[in-house]
Amino acid sequence: MSIFNPRKAFLHIIDENRNSLSGFSHNSKRLLLGILISAIGNGLILPYLFVYLNVMRGISPLLTGVLAACGGGISLLAAPFMGYLIDHLGPKKILLFGLILSFIGFLFLAQASNFISALIAILIEAIGAVAMWPAQSALAVQHLAEEMREKFFAAQFAGLNLGLGIGGLISSLIINLRNVHTFQWLYRLDATTFLIYFIVSIPIPALIYRSEKNQENVQRKGWAEVLADKKFIKFWIIAIFAIFLGYSQLELGFTSFSTKVAKVPPPQIAISFAFNTILITILQVPFLTLVKKLKNRTAVSFATLFWALAWVSLAIAVPLRNYAVFGVILCQIVFAFGEMIWSPITPAIVNRLAPEHLRGRYNSLMGSTWQIGAIAGPLVVGIFLNAHLEWLWISTLIAGLLILSGVILKSKIISEH
C-alpha cells in the first residue's frame, strides 16, 4: 500500500513546471513570453481603476461605473469586426494592432484627468484588448500541433496568473493613495509591457493559411457560416452562462458578499486572491495531466461544478463568524480548480471546431462571452445588492451552476473528441 509522500509530490510538480515548455516551437515560446510580460502590466493596475478614477481623479462613482460599462460595451461591439479582420488580414497583424492600441490606451489613461479623456483612453484600450486576445489564440494555434494546444493554453493561463501576481506585488510597493503620480507610473509601466510584447512578437512568422478558393468562400459566407455551426453556438451559449455565473461575479459580487455579509476585512480578501493566483501558477500545468484524461464534456461539467462549490464555500464563511476568512480563502481555492479546467480546455475545443479560414471569427465570438459577462455580471450584482438580496444572489449562482453542470454532463452539446 503506497503512502502519500509530500516531498515527492512537490518535486513532481516542480519537474512538471520545469518541463512545461518542452514540445513548443520557438514562436510559441515568444507568445508565452509576451503574454507573461503583458500580464505583469495588468497586475500592476488590475485592482486600482475605481480608486484611480474616483479618488485620485475626482470622477463620481456613477460615472466611473459608466466608464467601465462603456469599455465592455465597445469590446462587445468591436469583437465581430476584429474576427473578420483576423480572418482576412491574418492574426499576427491584428495582434500587433491590438498591442499598439493597448499601449496608447493605457498611456492616455495615465494622463486622463476628467470623464471625457478617461472615456477616450478606455475605449482605445478596450478595442486593443478585443483585437489582441482572439488574434493571440489564432496565431498560437498556427504554430502548434493539435495535441499541444491544451498544454499551450494551460501554460498561458499559468503565465497569466504568475504575471498578475508579480505585477500586484510591484504595485503594492509603488502605490501611494496620497500621490496621483504613483498611479500614473503604474499605468505607464502597464503600457510599456504591451510595447515589449509588440517587439517580442515581430519575429513570429505570419503564416498563410488560406487558399484563394477559401478566401472567396469566406467573403461569401463569413459570419453566416459561423452562426450555422450549431455545435459551436450551443457551446458558446454554455460559455456565456458559465462566465456569467462564475468569473463575472468575482470582482464585485465576491468582494461585496465577503465584506458586507461575511464581514471579512479587505486585506484578508486580497490574501484569498493571492491563494488563487499562486495555486494556479504552481498547479496549472501538472493538473492538466489529470484533466486531459477526462472527456471534454466531463471536464467542462466539472469546471462549472467546482465554481458552484466555490460559492457554497463563500456562503459557509458567514456562520464561521470570526473565522470567516477561511471560507473566503476556500472559495478562491475551489474556484481555482474550476479555472484550471476551463482555461486550457475551452479554447482548445473552440479551435478544434473552427475551420482554419474562420478561426479568427470563432475565437472572437468566444471572446465575446467575457464581454457579455463584464457587462451583465456587475449589473445583476448591483441589482441584488441594492435590494439587500445577497443570499438570493449567491443561491442563484449555486443553483444555476449546478443545473448547468448537469446539462453539460447529460447532453451531447460538447464533442468528446
Side-chain angles (χ1 to χ4, degrees), residues 358-379:
L358 292 173
R359 189 158 283 144
R361 287 175 171 87
Y362 273 71
N363 280 284
S364 180
L365 188 58
M366 193 62 183
S368 71
T369 60
W370 294 91
Q371 283 97 46
I372 293 171
I375 297 170
L379 177 63

Side-chain angles (χ1 to χ4, degrees), residues 241-242 244-246 249 257 304 307-308 311-312 315 380-381 383-384 389-405:
F241 280 100
F244 170 69
L245 295 168
Q249 307 296 326
F257 189 93
T304 54
W307 291 342
W311 297 131
V312 171
V380 171
V381 171
I383 293 172
F384 276 102
L389 297 173
E390 292 88 354
W391 282 105
L392 181 58
W393 166 77
I394 200 166
S395 299
T396 302
L397 297 185
I398 294 168
L401 285 165
L402 289 175
I403 293 170
L404 186 61
S405 180

Side-chain angles (χ1 to χ4, degrees), residues 49 52-53 67 71 74 101-129 187:
L49 181 63
Y52 174 60
L53 294 177
L67 287 171
I74 194 64
L101 282 185
S102 296
F103 167 71
I104 294 172
F106 284 114
L107 206 59
F108 279 10
L109 195 56
Q111 299 303 123
S113 58
N114 54 52
F115 177 82
I116 297 299
S117 57
L119 176 63
I120 294 171
I122 286 175
L123 292 181
I124 294 173
E125 178 275 321
I127 295 172
Y187 282 102

Side-chain angles (χ1 to χ4, degrees), residues 253-265:
F254 167 77
T255 52
S256 297
F257 189 93
S258 298
T259 54
K260 294 183 178 180
V261 184
K263 307 299 181 184
V264 176

Side-chain angles (χ1 to χ4, degrees), residues 249-270 272-273 310-311 313-315 317-318 321 324-332 385 390 393-394:
Q249 307 296 326
L250 282 175
E251 186 172 0
L252 181 58
F254 167 77
T255 52
S256 297
F257 189 93
S258 298
T259 54
K260 294 183 178 180
V261 184
K263 307 299 181 184
V264 176
Q268 294 182 359
I269 296 174
S272 74
F273 277 110
W311 297 131
S313 302
L314 182 60
V318 178
R321 296 182 181 274
V325 64
F326 292 107
V328 172
I329 291 173
L330 181 61
C331 171
Q332 284 293 332
L385 296 184
E390 292 88 354
W393 166 77
I394 200 166

